Coordinates of all heavy atoms in Angstrom, one line a residue:
L130 N -12.0 -1.7 -14.4 CA -11.0 -0.9 -13.8 C -10.2 -0.1 -14.9 O -9.7 1.0 -14.7 CB -9.9 -1.8 -13.1 CG -10.4 -2.4 -11.8 CD1 -9.4 -3.4 -11.3 CD2 -10.6 -1.3 -10.7
V131 N -10.2 -0.6 -16.1 CA -9.5 0.0 -17.2 C -10.2 1.3 -17.6 O -9.5 2.3 -17.9 CB -9.4 -0.9 -18.5 CG1 -8.8 -0.2 -19.6 CG2 -8.7 -2.2 -18.1
V132 N -11.5 1.3 -17.6 CA -12.3 2.5 -18.0 C -12.8 3.3 -16.8 O -13.4 4.4 -16.9 CB -13.5 2.2 -18.9 CG1 -12.9 1.6 -20.2 CG2 -14.4 1.2 -18.2
G133 N -12.5 2.8 -15.6 CA -12.9 3.6 -14.4 C -14.4 3.5 -14.0 O -14.9 4.4 -13.3
P142 N -6.6 -3.0 -2.9 CA -6.3 -1.8 -3.6 C -7.2 -0.6 -3.2 O -6.8 0.5 -3.0 CB -6.4 -2.1 -5.1 CG -6.2 -3.6 -5.2 CD -6.8 -4.1 -3.9
Y143 N -8.5 -1.0 -3.0 CA -9.5 0.1 -2.6 C -9.1 0.6 -1.2 O -9.1 1.8 -1.0 CB -10.9 -0.6 -2.6 CG -12.0 0.3 -2.4 CD1 -11.9 1.7 -2.5 CD2 -13.3 -0.2 -2.2 CE1 -13.0 2.5 -2.3 CE2 -14.4 0.6 -2.0 CZ -14.3 2.0 -2.1 OH -15.4 2.8 -1.9
G144 N -8.7 -0.3 -0.3 CA -8.3 0.2 1.0 C -7.0 1.0 0.9 O -6.9 2.0 1.6
V145 N -6.1 0.6 0.1 CA -4.8 1.4 -0.1 C -5.2 2.8 -0.6 O -4.6 3.8 -0.1 CB -3.9 0.7 -1.0 CG1 -2.7 1.6 -1.4 CG2 -3.3 -0.6 -0.4
Q146 N -6.1 2.9 -1.5 CA -6.5 4.2 -2.0 C -7.0 5.1 -0.9 O -6.7 6.3 -0.9 CB -7.6 4.0 -3.1 CG -8.1 5.2 -3.7 CD -9.1 4.9 -4.9 OE1 -8.7 4.6 -6.0 NE2 -10.4 4.9 -4.6
L147 N -7.8 4.6 0.0 CA -8.4 5.4 1.1 C -7.3 5.7 2.1 O -7.3 6.8 2.6 CB -9.5 4.7 1.8 CG -10.8 4.4 0.9 CD1 -11.9 3.9 1.8 CD2 -11.2 5.7 0.2
L148 N -6.3 4.8 2.3 CA -5.2 5.2 3.2 C -4.4 6.3 2.6 O -3.9 7.2 3.3 CB -4.3 3.9 3.4 CG -4.9 2.8 4.3 CD1 -4.0 1.6 4.2 CD2 -5.1 3.3 5.7
L149 N -4.1 6.3 1.3 CA -3.4 7.4 0.7 C -4.2 8.7 0.8 O -3.6 9.7 1.1 CB -3.2 7.1 -0.8 CG -2.1 6.1 -1.2 CD1 -2.1 5.8 -2.7 CD2 -0.7 6.7 -0.8
D150 N -5.5 8.6 0.7 CA -6.3 9.8 0.9 C -6.1 10.5 2.3 O -6.2 11.7 2.4 CB -7.8 9.5 0.7 CG -8.1 9.2 -0.8 OD1 -7.3 9.6 -1.6 OD2 -9.2 8.7 -1.0
T151 N -5.9 9.7 3.3 CA -5.7 10.2 4.7 C -4.5 11.0 4.8 O -4.3 11.8 5.7 CB -5.7 9.1 5.7 OG1 -4.5 8.3 5.6 CG2 -6.9 8.2 5.6
T152 N -3.5 10.9 3.9 CA -2.3 11.7 4.0 C -2.5 13.1 3.4 O -1.6 13.9 3.5 CB -1.1 11.0 3.2 OG1 -1.4 11.0 1.8 CG2 -0.9 9.6 3.7
G153 N -3.6 13.3 2.7 CA -3.9 14.5 2.0 C -3.1 14.7 0.7 O -3.0 15.8 0.2
T154 N -2.6 13.7 0.2 CA -1.7 13.7 -1.0 C -2.6 13.6 -2.2 O -3.4 12.7 -2.4 CB -0.7 12.6 -1.0 OG1 0.1 12.7 0.2 CG2 0.2 12.7 -2.2
D155 N -2.4 14.5 -3.2 CA -3.0 14.4 -4.5 C -2.1 13.6 -5.4 O -1.0 14.0 -5.6 CB -3.2 15.8 -5.1 CG -3.9 15.8 -6.5 OD1 -4.2 14.7 -6.9 OD2 -4.1 16.8 -7.1
V156 N -2.6 12.4 -5.7 CA -1.7 11.5 -6.5 C -1.5 11.9 -7.9 O -0.6 11.3 -8.6 CB -2.2 10.0 -6.4 CG1 -2.3 9.6 -5.0 CG2 -3.5 9.9 -7.1
A157 N -2.3 12.8 -8.4 CA -2.2 13.2 -9.8 C -0.8 13.7 -10.1 O -0.3 14.6 -9.4 CB -3.2 14.3 -10.2
G158 N -0.1 13.2 -11.1 CA 1.2 13.6 -11.5 C 2.3 13.0 -10.6 O 3.5 13.2 -10.9
Q159 N 2.0 12.3 -9.6 CA 3.0 11.7 -8.7 C 3.6 10.5 -9.4 O 2.9 9.7 -10.1 CB 2.4 11.3 -7.4 CG 1.8 12.4 -6.6 CD 2.9 13.3 -5.8 OE1 4.0 12.8 -5.6 NE2 2.5 14.5 -5.5
N160 N 4.9 10.2 -9.1 CA 5.5 9.0 -9.6 C 5.2 7.9 -8.6 O 5.6 8.0 -7.4 CB 7.0 9.1 -9.7 CG 7.5 10.0 -10.8 OD1 6.8 10.1 -11.9 ND2 8.5 10.8 -10.6
V161 N 4.4 6.9 -9.0 CA 4.0 5.8 -8.1 C 4.6 4.5 -8.6 O 4.5 4.2 -9.8 CB 2.5 5.6 -8.1 CG1 2.1 4.5 -7.1 CG2 1.8 7.0 -7.6
P173 N -4.6 -4.3 -10.3 CA -5.7 -3.4 -10.1 C -5.3 -2.1 -9.4 O -5.8 -1.0 -9.7 CB -6.7 -4.2 -9.2 CG -5.9 -5.4 -8.7 CD -4.8 -5.6 -9.7
M174 N -4.3 -2.2 -8.5 CA -3.8 -1.0 -7.9 C -3.2 0.0 -8.9 O -3.5 1.2 -8.9 CB -2.7 -1.4 -6.9 CG -2.2 -0.2 -6.0 SD -3.3 0.1 -4.6 CE -4.2 1.6 -5.2
A175 N -2.5 -0.5 -9.9 CA -1.9 0.3 -10.9 C -3.0 1.0 -11.7 O -2.9 2.2 -12.0 CB -1.0 -0.5 -11.8
L176 N -4.0 0.2 -12.1 CA -5.1 0.8 -12.9 C -5.9 1.9 -12.1 O -6.3 2.9 -12.7 CB -6.1 -0.3 -13.3 CG -5.5 -1.3 -14.4 CD1 -6.4 -2.5 -14.5 CD2 -5.4 -0.6 -15.7
M177 N -6.1 1.6 -10.8 CA -6.9 2.6 -10.0 C -6.1 3.9 -9.9 O -6.7 5.0 -9.9 CB -7.2 2.0 -8.7 CG -8.2 0.9 -8.7 SD -8.4 -0.1 -7.2 CE -9.3 1.1 -6.2
L178 N -4.8 3.8 -9.8 CA -4.0 5.0 -9.7 C -3.9 5.7 -11.0 O -3.8 7.0 -11.0 CB -2.6 4.6 -9.2 CG -2.5 4.2 -7.7 CD1 -1.2 3.5 -7.4 CD2 -2.7 5.4 -6.8
L179 N -3.9 5.0 -12.1 CA -3.9 5.6 -13.4 C -5.2 6.5 -13.6 O -5.2 7.5 -14.2 CB -3.8 4.6 -14.5 CG -2.4 4.0 -14.8 CD1 -2.5 2.8 -15.7 CD2 -1.5 5.1 -15.4
Q180 N -6.3 5.9 -13.0 CA -7.5 6.7 -13.1 C -7.4 8.0 -12.4 O -8.1 9.0 -12.7 CB -8.7 5.9 -12.5 CG -9.1 4.7 -13.4 CD -9.7 5.2 -14.7 OE1 -10.4 6.3 -14.8 NE2 -9.5 4.4 -15.7
R181 N -6.5 8.1 -11.4 CA -6.3 9.3 -10.7 C -5.1 10.2 -11.2 O -4.6 11.1 -10.6 CB -6.0 9.0 -9.2 CG -7.3 8.5 -8.5 CD -7.0 8.4 -7.0 NE -8.2 8.3 -6.2 CZ -8.3 8.6 -4.9 NH1 -7.2 8.9 -4.2 NH2 -9.5 8.5 -4.3
E182 N -4.7 9.8 -12.4 CA -3.7 10.5 -13.2 C -2.3 10.5 -12.6 O -1.5 11.4 -12.7 CB -4.2 11.9 -13.5 CG -5.5 12.0 -14.2 CD -5.9 13.4 -14.6 OE1 -5.9 14.3 -13.6 OE2 -6.2 13.7 -15.7
A183 N -2.0 9.4 -11.8 CA -0.7 9.2 -11.4 C 0.2 8.6 -12.5 O -0.4 8.1 -13.5 CB -0.6 8.2 -10.2
T184 N 1.5 8.8 -12.4 CA 2.4 8.1 -13.4 C 2.9 6.8 -12.7 O 3.6 6.9 -11.7 CB 3.6 9.0 -13.7 OG1 3.1 10.3 -14.2 CG2 4.5 8.4 -14.7
V185 N 2.5 5.7 -13.2 CA 2.6 4.4 -12.5 C 3.6 3.5 -13.2 O 3.6 3.3 -14.4 CB 1.3 3.7 -12.5 CG1 1.4 2.4 -11.7 CG2 0.2 4.6 -11.8
I204 N 5.5 7.8 -4.3 CA 4.6 6.9 -3.6 C 5.1 5.4 -3.9 O 5.1 5.1 -5.1 CB 3.1 7.1 -3.9 CG1 2.7 8.5 -3.6 CG2 2.3 6.0 -3.2 CD1 1.3 8.8 -4.1
P296 N -19.5 4.7 -8.7 CA -18.7 5.9 -8.6 C -17.5 5.8 -7.6 O -16.8 6.8 -7.3 CB -19.7 6.9 -8.0 CG -20.6 6.1 -7.2 CD -20.7 4.8 -7.9
V297 N -17.2 4.6 -7.2 CA -16.1 4.4 -6.2 C -14.8 5.0 -6.7 O -14.0 5.6 -5.9 CB -15.9 2.9 -5.8 CG1 -16.6 2.6 -4.6 CG2 -16.3 2.0 -7.0
L298 N -14.5 4.8 -7.9 CA -13.2 5.3 -8.4 C -13.2 6.8 -8.7 O -12.1 7.4 -9.0 CB -12.8 4.6 -9.7 CG -12.6 3.0 -9.6 CD1 -12.1 2.5 -10.9 CD2 -11.7 2.7 -8.5
K299 N -14.3 7.4 -8.5 CA -14.4 8.9 -8.7 C -14.3 9.6 -7.4 O -14.6 10.8 -7.2 CB -15.7 9.2 -9.4 CG -15.8 8.5 -10.8 CD -17.2 8.7 -11.4 CE -17.3 7.8 -12.6 NZ -18.7 7.8 -13.1
G300 N -14.0 8.8 -6.3 CA -13.8 9.5 -5.0 C -14.9 9.4 -4.0 O -14.9 9.9 -2.9
V301 N -16.0 8.7 -4.4 CA -17.2 8.6 -3.5 C -16.9 7.5 -2.5 O -16.4 6.4 -2.8 CB -18.4 8.3 -4.3 CG1 -19.6 8.0 -3.4 CG2 -18.7 9.4 -5.2

Side-chain angles (χ1 to χ4, degrees):
L130 288 171
V131 177
V132 295
Y143 190 10
V145 170
Q146 180 175 276
L147 295 190
L148 288 172
L149 282 172
D150 288 345
T151 67
T152 70
T154 302
D155 182 0
V156 302
Q159 300 280 340
N160 289 327
V161 181
M174 187 81 258
L176 290 168
M177 291 168 73
L178 289 165
L179 282 170
Q180 287 296 327
R181 290 187 161 200
E182 299 183 311
T184 301
V185 181
I204 300 171
V297 262
L298 299 188
K299 303 169 188 174
V301 173

